[in-house]
Amino acid sequence: GLQADEFGQGTDNQLDGLFVISNTTTMAAYQSRLAADLPAWAQATSALGVDVRVGVTTTGLVPRGALCPGAALGGEAGRLFPVDGSAARVVSLANASQVAALQSNVQVGQCHNLVQGLETMRSALSPPLVSSTDDPRTADPNDGNLGLLRTSARLAVVFLSDEDDHSGFDPASYVQFVRGLKGRGMAHRVSASAVV
């Protein structure tokens, strides 16, 4: 039989990033430390000539409480933060003024009690979210993640949490998902890291 392989030619100077940040009640100091470190990271990537675009989501799958900003009550379920679009949801670090927006976005609040970061990552990077401007499953307008991923860019997913992950599937299934994001034979263009 015949097999057709399709490839998106990647470029090494483009990086798409997804921060998956725990929004549990013990995360305030860690969110603040990440926000404080972002300007230096943005400066380093700019010095290397890397075109970086970043989105943030939380480890919350279901709404939990009003102590979390962003209009999803801590249950972003993979949607980029802030869900209400009150700030840029996909931030380009090529624009130095947007670093402050990213610093604000990583401060996702502390209202949740269940860390499910692997599952929210899968939701964030899967249809319908990643391929739509609006999530058809929710009433919130324009809450899709379209624009987060570029075909030619590398992808880095970074988890930030101080608790164990309680996503519902075997961790190997998430590894397989991440390795397949850029297509067959392109697993080297994706990385996942955890600061836990």
Side-chain angles (χ1 to χ4, degrees), residues 78-170:
R79 296 175 294 169
L80 296 179
F81 186 91
V83 168
D84 62 4
S86 58
R89 298 172 66 231
V90 176
V91 176
S92 171
L93 297 186
N95 182 345
S97 66
Q98 288 205 347
V99 174
L102 182 57
Q103 286 180 292
S104 176
N105 287 358
V106 300
Q107 309 257 355
V108 296
Q110 303 86 40
C111 68
H112 224 288
N113 60 357
L114 183 60
V115 174
Q116 294 179 293
L118 292 170
E119 191 58 31
T120 60
M121 176 266 312
R122 184 192 329 243
S123 294
L125 300 174
S126 297
L129 280 180
V130 78
S131 57
S132 305
T133 56
D134 186 58
D135 184 350
R137 304 166 296 183
T138 68
D140 298 304
N142 301 317
D143 59 344
N145 296 349
L146 185 67
L148 175 63
L149 298 184
R150 294 171 287 181
T151 303
S152 58
R154 291 180 181 270
L155 172 64
V157 180
V158 178
F159 298 90
L160 178 66
S161 179
D162 65 348
E163 297 182 27
D164 291 339
D165 192 276
H166 297 281
S167 296
F169 298 95
D170 184 337

Side-chain angles (χ1 to χ4, degrees), residues 4-49:
D5 289 338
E6 293 183 23
F7 296 92
Q9 181 65 42
T11 58
D12 289 334
N13 69 336
Q14 291 182 333
L15 176 68
D16 294 335
L18 175 66
F19 283 106
V20 182
I21 300 175
S22 174
N23 55 355
T24 58
T25 57
T26 56
M27 285 296 295
Y30 303 112
Q31 292 172 17
S32 295
R33 284 171 60 185
L34 175 60
D37 289 340
L38 288 173
W41 179 61
Q43 188 175 23
T45 60
S46 178
L48 292 171

